[in-house]
Structures are given as structure tokens and as C-alpha cells.
């Protein structure tokens, strides 16, 4: 059934958006269309994922084959390969620093949240565009400028920033400390200022749009879980990124203006520097007040995408919709009060450490609720194994395995032993890095037809998934054992440690697996760009999904809907509803049009619905799809 408006005037809350006739520059470059801006974030994020992945391959070559002659890399790395064919030790630390920065901020924050928050929020809530198209455009271009500055730092004579992606002082605060603390660190800080501005502009826009521009009937209780995740992610970013800005600003003062916020009792070459009164631990508190919420800034959008993909491809309502929202709210709140579990070895009071340990273990509860609800949704579902579905299930797997190791690290007594070992590297690469990356991939495969009007090749998608899924476990699962054995992270070589000799082959295995996993991503690259132009044309609703974005034209213009924006009458997860002729009922179908499948509590809503329709001059007509 469908709804026809017989009233003389358009009573919809949103005005019909006139068709835009843009030039190439205003349509593809300086665009204010949220869909194109989402694509800009996606393509830029893919570029940075290749750069970040390539950097990781360079330092994995050093770690897996410490005695290998790397002269073949001299055309790429130039002077960073010395005459004997060895990788420069300072450049190794710069590689680790830039890899972490790029993957955490440029790929998993901007590439994931920037892409899908921009692309999906107006489409799924029933809005013409973001609240401010101009701010949205600025958000992308601040991110782009940030990337340009960070990319330029790779070509400096003394190399890019080399203080680790957390850039702890005093190493990052003193230019004479190491080559990577010079101009490379300055450019790192400038780039992060632009990146933070981009994130704040985007976050304000997302929150404002979701609160104010929802279509008629789209209450908060009817929002898809994707929108809930984007909304709460924006809230976290809006509250935490300014703290990182403050930390970076104070670091700039210490570096350039002689202040001592983070510096005290520093000696270089036996000479005392004139810094007194500061504390590097202050920086750690400021950084991790963003750093731990950042884990959920990259995870929550991936979890929201997974919720949508799993429900759609299980042909079942998402289990525990309200519990999922409450768990995300719990994660949002608790993410701000667990930051010091990264600082158990900083000399904090043991009682304070026990408080943060308790809070850290509590945050496992809402995470476990989400996992339970995913597994229950999958249980006995009519599963359709699309590439997006496989990547979503892969995310759940990483979230479980990586989350379990987080319980170990949340215990201060154990964390003190494992801190800064490869156990920590394995943990956060599984639970945050790989899980979020799989959420990004699931979103691309699922919404590619809506983005480009064409279908990606499923067979290539399956190959991409299995190579990546197996590869990730082959890379990071052995790292847990290496970490328990005491292998420290960020070390250029372990050949000087006798205990490390027995793990030489395992470390080589990890490096080979990393190379294979990285190379397999080119399957996705080919599939993505080939399908964009040559892929099979997409049907109107290829996944038989309920949400509003599938009610727009296959290639929606600027304004999304050519006519009136449809109203919403139900939640987004009416799949396989008993009594229904189809196994999905879109949000735009009134309850009064499906009496055969309405639940008892919905009959009360039907009366209200009919009354509203009568007031607006609407009548029910037969839907052509049911003829």
C-alpha cells in the first residue's frame, strides 16, 4: 500500500528542493552536497589507508628480516637507507609514528565517520542535506589541508614526526632530542590543528541535522542504529577533541616559546635546560582524555553500520533495539572516565589506578551487550552472505577476540607487565583497528549501489574478505604470544636480546602475513574503481532494506528526493514480520496499510495514524508491487 496526498497544499515540513545545475567545480570539488562530500572523504580515506599500510610494510620488513639488505628501497626512501643497506633507526620510529597517526585519524576517523555520517544522515532521517552545507564543505577541506601538511612532512630532510603517534613529551617537546622532533613534529602539530577543526565542524553539523531535520514521523525511537551511532560519535568528538587541541597548543608553547607546561629537570649532553615546574604526565592526561574516547569515535560508526547490515542480511529485526541504544549511551559516557588505564605505569596512586581499573572493566558490559545482540540477531536468521555481511561478521569476531584481551589489560597488575609490549599492539589492532576497518568495508560494499548506482563484484568481494580476515588473524594473533614473552613495541631490532631468538621465525611469519594482507587490498581497489564505472547497474533496492535512503532515486540529485520527502510510520527493522506478504516492510509504509502483520500494541497506533491522515487529506491506494 502507498499514501497519496489529496490536499491542495504540500503539508510536509520540508520544502521541495529545486534541482541544482552545478559546474564541475561546484559539483565535484567545492560541493555542498552531503553525498558528494561523503564520497570525497571516502576516496581521500582510501588514499591514506594505502599510505598508512605501505608505511607499516616498511617497518614490518625491518622487524621480520632485521639482517636483510634493503638497498632495493633506496629509490623510494633515499637517504633513509644507509650505504650498508640498513634502514635508518630514526626513520623507523618516524614510520611507526606516521602509520599510527594516519590510520587512527585520517582513515578510521575521517575516512569512516566522515564518509558515512555525511552520506547517510540526511538520507536515513529524511532531510534534503546537512544543516549547513557550507560548514560541511569546510569540514572536508580542513581535513584535506591537514592531509597535505602531514603528507609534506614525509619529505623533510630530517624526516616526519618521530615521537610515536601519541607524541609524548619531552621527546616531542625538544627539537634537539631526535631528528623527528624538529620540523616534522611542528608540521604534525599544525596538521592536527586543521584535523581537529574539521572534526568539530563535522560533529556540530551531524548533531544539528539529526536533532532538527528529521522527516515527519522520524522520532528518535525510529532512528536506524547507524544514525544513533553517528550521533553519539559526534557528541564524543565534540567533547574530547578540544582537549587534544589544548594539549597540542601547550606543546607548541613548550617547543617554540620557552614555556614549561610539560618540561622539568631536563638534561641534554650533561647540560641542564632552563625548564622547571612542568610535568609530562599532564600531557598524558590531556592526550588520553581524547585518546580513549577516540577508540569509540572509530568503533561506534562501525558498530552502527554492522547493526544495519546484520539485520538486513539476517532478514530479522535487530535483537534488543533499545538495549543497543542504551549500550551505546553507556559506552559514550564511560569512554570519558577510563582514560588513565593507559597510565598505570606513570606512577599514579594505586588507589586511583584501582578506580580506573574498575571503570575499565565496567565498560566491557555495554560492549558485551552489543555482541550478544549481534549473535542473537544472527541466530536462526535467514542469512544472506553478501560481502558486507561477511565483513560485519568479521567485525563481531574481532570485537570478541580483541575485547577479551582488553580485560587483561584493564587489570592494572597485569597491564604493568604487558604495557608497551606487542600484546598491547595486538589488542588494539584487533578490537579497534581491524574491527573498525571491517566496518568501513561493510559500509562500502552495502551502500556502494546508493553511492554510485552500480554493484560491486561479489566474487571479488568474497576473495577480498577471506584474504583480509585470515590475514589479520595471522598478523595479530601471534603478537599476543610475542608480547607475553616481553617483546617491547617500537624497537628497531630485537637481535640483541637472547630471549628473542626463539621467536625469530614467528616474527618473520607475522611480517609475511602483513605483506600478503596489504597486497590483498588491491583486489578491493580494483573492484571499487572498476565497479564505479563498469559495474552492473544497481536495482532500486538491491538488499530489500527498510530504511529511507532506498526510497530516493537510484542516483539521487542534490536534495535527495525529487518531490515531497516521505513520512515515516514505523521503526527500521520490520523484517520477516509474521503475516506480511514480504519479508521486509519499509519505514514509509503506514501501519494501517498492513493490518495482517500488525502486532497488538501497533493497533493503537493505527487509530492515531488514520486520524492524522484524515486531517492531512491522505487516502490509501493499492501498491503496484502487490498486484
Amino acid at each position: 500500500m502507498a499514501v497519496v496526498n489529496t490536499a491542495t497544499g504540500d503539508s510536509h515540513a520540508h520544502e521541495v528542493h529545486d534541482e541544482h545545475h552545478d559546474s564541475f567545480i561546484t559539483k565535484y570539488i567545492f560541493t555542498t552536497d552531503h553525498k558528494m562530500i561523503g564520497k570525497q572523504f571516502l576516496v581521500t580515506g582510501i588514499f591514506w589507508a594505502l599510505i598508512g599500510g605501505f608505511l607499516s610494510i616498511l617497518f614490518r620488513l625491518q622487524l621480520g628480516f632485521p639482517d636483510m639488505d634493503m638497498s632495493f628501497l633506496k629509490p623510494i626512501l633515499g637517504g633513509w637507507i644507509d650505504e650498508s643497506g640498513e634502514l635508518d633507526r630514526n626513520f623507523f620510529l618516524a614510520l611507526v609514528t606516521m602509520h599510527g597517526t594516519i590510520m587512527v585519524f585520517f582513515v578510521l576517523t575521517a575516512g569512516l565517520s566522515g564518509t558515512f555520517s555525511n552520506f547517510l544522515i540526511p538520507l536515513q532521517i529524511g532531510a534534503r542535506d546537512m544543516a549547513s552545507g557550507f560548514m560541511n564543505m569546510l569540514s572536508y577541506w580542513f581535513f584535506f589541508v591537514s592531509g597535505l601538511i602531514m603528507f609534506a612532512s614525509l619529505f623533510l630532510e630530517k624526516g616526519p614526526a618521530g615521537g610515536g603517534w601519541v607524541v609524548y613529551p619531552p621527546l616531542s617537546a625538544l627539537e634537539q632530542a631526535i631528528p623527528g622532533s624538529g620540523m616534522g613534529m611542528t608540521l604534525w602539530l599544525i596538521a592536527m590543528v586543521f584535523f581537529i577543526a574539521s572534526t568539530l565542524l563535522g560533529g556540530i553539523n551531524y548533531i544539528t541535522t539529526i536533532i532538527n531535520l528529521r522527516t515527519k514521523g522520524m522520532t528518535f525511537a525510529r532512528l536506524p542504529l547507524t544514525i544513533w551511532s553517528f550521533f553519539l560519535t559526534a557528541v564524543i568528538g565534540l567533547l574530547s577533541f578540544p582537549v587534544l587541541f589544548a594539549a597540542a597548543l601547550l606543546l607548541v608553547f613548550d617547543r617554540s616559546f620557552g614555556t614549561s607546561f610539560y618540561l622539568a629537570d631536563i638534561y641534554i649532553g650533561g647540560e641542564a635546560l632552563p625548564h622547571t615546574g612542568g610535568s609530562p604526565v599532564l600531557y598524558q592526561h590531556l592526550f588520553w582524555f581524547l585518546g580513549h574516547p577516540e577508540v569509540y569515535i572509530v568503533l561506534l560508526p562501525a558498530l552502527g553500520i554492522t547493526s544495519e547490515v546484520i539485520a538486513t542480511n539476517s532478514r530479522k529485526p535487530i535483537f534488543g533495539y533499545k538495549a543497543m541504544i542504551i549500550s551505546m549511551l553507556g559506552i559514550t559516557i564511560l569512554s570519558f572516565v577510563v582514560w588513565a588505564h593507559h597510565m598505570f605505569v606513570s606512577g599514579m596512586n594505586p588507589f586511583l589506578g584501582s578506580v580506573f581499573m574498575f571503570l575499565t572493566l565496567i565498560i566491557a558490559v555495554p560492549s558485551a551487550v552489543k555482541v550478544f545482540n549481534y549473535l542473537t540477531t544472527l541466530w536462526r536468521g535467514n542469512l544472506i552472505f553478501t560481502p558486507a555481511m561477511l565483513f560485519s561478521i568479521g567485525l563481531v569476531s574481532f570485537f570478541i577476540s580483541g575485547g577479551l584481551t582488553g580485560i587483561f589489560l584493564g587489570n592494572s597488575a597485569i597491564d604493568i607487565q604487558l604495557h608497551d609490549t606487542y600484546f598491547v599492539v595486538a589488542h588494539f589492532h584487533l578490537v579497534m583497528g581491524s574491527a573498525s576497518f571491517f566496518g568501513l568495508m561493510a559500509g562500502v560494499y552495502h551502500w556502494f549501489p546508493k553511492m554510485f548506482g552500480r554493484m560491486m563484484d561479489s566474487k571479488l568481494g568474497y576473495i577480498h574478505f577471506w584474504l583480509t580476515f585470515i590475514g589479520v588473524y595471522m598478523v595479530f594473533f601471534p603478537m599476543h604470544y610475542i608480547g607475553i614473552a616481553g617483546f617491547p613495541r617500537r624497537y628497531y631490532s630485537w637481535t640483541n636480546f637472547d630471549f628473542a631468538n626463539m621467536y625469530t621465525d614467528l616474527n618473520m611469519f607475522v611480517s609475511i602475513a602483513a605483506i600478503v594482507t596489504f597486497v590483498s587490498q588491491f583486489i578491493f581497489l580494483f573492484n571499487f574503481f572498476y565497479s564505479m564505472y563498469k559495474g552492473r547497474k544497481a536495482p532500486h533496492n538491491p538488499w530489500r532494506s527498510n530504511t529511507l535512503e532506498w526510497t530516493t532515486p537510484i542516483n539521487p540529485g542534490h536534495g535527495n528526493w525529487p518531490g515531497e520527502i516521505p513520512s515515516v510510520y514505523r521503526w527500521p527493522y520490520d523484517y520477516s514480520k509474521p503475516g506480511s506478504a514480504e519479508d521486509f516492510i519499509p519505514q514509509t509504509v503506514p501501519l494501517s496499510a498492513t493490518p495482517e502483520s500488525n502486532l497488538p500494541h501497533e493497533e493503537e497506533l493505527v487509530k492515531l495514524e488514520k486520524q492524522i491522515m484524515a486531517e492531512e487529506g491522505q487516502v490509501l491506494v493499492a501498491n503496484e508491487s502487490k498486484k
Side-chain angles (χ1 to χ4, degrees):
M1 308 294 285
V3 177
V4 175
N5 194 331
T6 59
T8 55
D10 184 2
S11 61
H12 202 281
H14 299 283
E15 295 179 0
V16 176
H17 201 284
D18 293 333
E19 185 67 27
H20 277 228
H21 299 283
D22 296 325
S23 66
F24 178 86
I25 292 178
T26 57
K27 184 175 182 179
Y28 294 105
I29 302 177
F30 297 109
T31 178
T32 58
D33 183 358
H34 70 97
K35 299 183 294 299
M36 186 57 66
I37 292 173
K39 295 174 189 177
Q40 289 176 328
F41 271 103
L42 177 59
V43 173
T44 310
I46 290 173
F47 168 80
W48 278 113
L50 290 174
I51 297 295
F54 176 69
L55 297 182
S56 71
I57 296 304
L58 292 179
F59 65 72
R60 277 311 321 177
L61 284 173
Q62 168 62 37
L63 295 170
F65 309 94
D67 299 323
M68 182 175 67
D69 185 351
M70 294 191 183
S71 299
F72 66 96
L73 289 173
K74 201 168 182 64
I76 300 174
L77 301 182
W80 299 116
I81 303 294
D82 63 22
E83 297 300 327
S84 62
E86 290 187 354
L87 184 70
D88 184 86
R89 288 161 171 75
N90 289 313
F91 189 66
F92 175 85
L93 185 56
L95 289 174
V96 176
T97 301
M98 296 303 290
H99 166 74
T101 301
I102 288 168
M103 299 307 286
V104 171
F105 294 114
F106 290 4
V107 178
L108 297 179
T109 301
L112 175 54
S113 185
T115 296
F116 292 104
S117 293
N118 271 297
F119 189 81
L120 290 179
I121 285 176
L123 289 173
Q124 289 198 332
I125 69 171
R128 297 291 181 189
D129 208 319
M130 285 291 180
S132 172
F134 180 72
M135 280 180 59
N136 212 19
M137 179 187 71
L138 284 181
S139 174
Y140 172 74
W141 283 105
F142 272 118
F143 166 54
F144 186 82
V145 170
S146 171
L148 282 181
I149 296 170
M150 195 70 75
F151 189 72
S153 73
L154 294 171
F155 300 95
L156 293 174
E157 182 180 358
K158 292 186 177 181
W165 78 276
V166 293
V167 296
Y168 280 172
L171 190 61
S172 61
L174 299 171
E175 294 192 18
Q176 61 268 49
I178 57 171
S181 293
M183 180 57 70
M185 183 61 66
T186 300
L187 292 183
W188 190 97
L189 291 167
I190 295 171
M192 288 310 300
V193 168
F194 279 96
F195 181 84
I196 292 168
S198 165
T199 304
L200 295 180
L201 286 170
I204 293 170
N205 228 354
Y206 306 152
I207 293 170
T208 306
T209 303
I210 293 171
I211 291 177
N212 294 318
L213 297 185
R214 287 168 288 123
T215 189
K216 188 182 300 180
M218 182 63 83
T219 63
F220 273 91
R222 290 174 176 170
L223 287 175
L225 289 173
T226 43
I227 302 301
W228 272 106
S229 69
F230 300 150
F231 177 73
L232 295 174
T233 298
V235 170
I236 295 174
L238 209 57
L239 294 176
S240 59
F241 267 106
V243 180
L244 179 63
F245 178 82
L249 186 64
L250 297 184
L251 185 56
V252 170
F253 285 164
D254 277 8
R255 286 173 55 83
S256 304
F257 300 105
T259 59
S260 301
F261 291 105
Y262 305 134
L263 300 173
D265 304 324
I266 303 293
Y267 291 81
I268 292 184
E271 179 183 352
L273 300 184
H275 294 287
T276 57
S279 171
V281 177
L282 169 62
Y283 176 87
Q284 291 190 38
H285 280 292
L286 293 174
F287 179 88
W288 287 115
F289 190 82
L290 168 277
H292 198 79
E294 172 67 16
V295 171
Y296 298 101
I297 288 173
V298 304
L299 256 179
L300 281 180
L303 294 173
I305 289 169
T306 295
S307 301
E308 179 68 24
V309 173
I310 285 181
T312 300
N313 291 285
S314 296
R315 312 313 292 170
K316 283 177 61 180
I318 193 77
F319 183 86
Y321 174 80
K322 291 182 180 179
M324 295 284 264
I325 295 172
I326 293 171
S327 67
M328 285 193 286
L329 285 168
I331 287 172
T332 299
I333 295 169
L334 289 170
S335 69
F336 285 100
V337 292
V338 296
W339 78 88
H341 70 219
H342 297 272
M343 301 168 56
F344 286 144
V345 297
S346 66
M348 69 165 57
N349 186 297
F351 174 75
L352 186 60
S354 67
V355 171
F356 280 101
M357 180 182 74
F358 176 71
L359 293 170
T360 300
L361 296 178
I362 283 180
I363 204 171
V365 175
S367 299
V369 168
K370 297 190 73 65
V371 168
F372 174 79
N373 286 7
Y374 289 141
L375 297 178
T376 313
T377 304
L378 290 166
W379 177 252
R380 302 186 72 178
N382 185 17
L383 304 184
I384 303 172
F385 291 108
T386 64
M389 181 65 156
L390 290 175
F391 274 100
S392 296
I393 295 173
L395 180 152
V396 176
S397 174
F398 294 146
F399 199 54
I400 294 171
S401 55
L404 288 174
T405 58
I407 297 175
F408 288 81
L409 295 172
N411 187 314
S412 58
I414 299 176
D415 180 74
I416 289 171
Q417 305 301 318
L418 297 176
H419 188 82
D420 262 352
T421 69
Y422 267 77
F423 191 93
V424 178
V425 176
H427 158 70
F428 76 74
H429 273 87
L430 279 181
V431 77
M432 185 187 82
S434 300
S436 300
F437 178 76
F438 268 50
L440 172 61
M441 289 295 104
V444 171
Y445 279 104
H446 188 74
W447 280 288
F448 188 90
K450 181 53 60 180
M451 287 182 176
F452 302 104
R454 295 182 181 272
M455 305 293 290
M456 294 184 74
D457 186 273
S458 294
K459 291 181 181 179
L460 290 177
Y462 296 143
I463 296 171
H464 175 221
F465 166 76
W466 285 112
L467 287 175
T468 307
F469 181 72
I470 295 170
V472 166
Y473 268 124
M474 290 171 69
V475 171
F476 299 115
F477 209 81
M479 282 188 187
H480 291 92
Y481 297 98
I482 297 175
I484 291 173
F487 276 49
R489 61 193 291 198
R490 301 194 184 101
Y491 271 42
Y492 172 83
S493 174
W494 301 313
T495 53
N496 293 329
F497 300 103
D498 292 336
F499 79 92
N501 292 330
M502 63 183 294
Y503 293 103
T504 300
D505 291 341
L506 187 59
N507 207 31
M508 187 185 303
F509 173 83
V510 168
S511 291
I512 294 172
I515 294 169
V516 173
T517 306
F518 175 72
V519 171
S520 68
Q521 303 315 303
F522 287 91
I523 298 172
F524 165 77
L525 275 182
F526 171 79
N527 195 3
F528 181 85
F529 288 105
Y530 179 84
S531 299
M532 190 186 301
Y533 299 102
K534 300 292 186 179
R536 177 171 59 89
K537 290 188 177 180
H540 193 266
N541 187 357
W543 317 122
R544 294 160 60 84
S545 187
N546 290 341
T547 42
L548 279 180
E549 72 269 26
W550 304 107
T551 65
T552 65
I554 293 177
N555 292 299
H558 195 165
N560 299 331
W561 288 268
E564 183 183 2
I565 299 177
S567 299
V568 166
Y569 300 94
R570 59 182 73 226
W571 76 322
Y573 300 110
D574 270 341
Y575 292 106
S576 301
K577 204 170 182 184
S580 175
E582 301 280 355
D583 69 347
F584 73 110
I585 308 176
Q587 287 187 279
T588 55
V589 176
L591 291 166
S592 53
T594 57
E596 69 281 356
S597 63
N598 288 343
L599 300 174
H601 74 276
E602 291 175 329
E603 292 300 329
E604 296 299 321
L605 297 175
V606 170
K607 299 176 182 178
L608 178 61
E609 186 181 277
K610 288 182 176 179
Q611 180 181 348
I612 295 173
M613 287 181 178
E615 293 174 356
E616 295 185 350
Q618 293 176 339
V619 296
L620 294 175
V621 297
N623 192 348
E624 290 184 0
S625 64
K626 290 192 175 184
K627 289 182 181 179

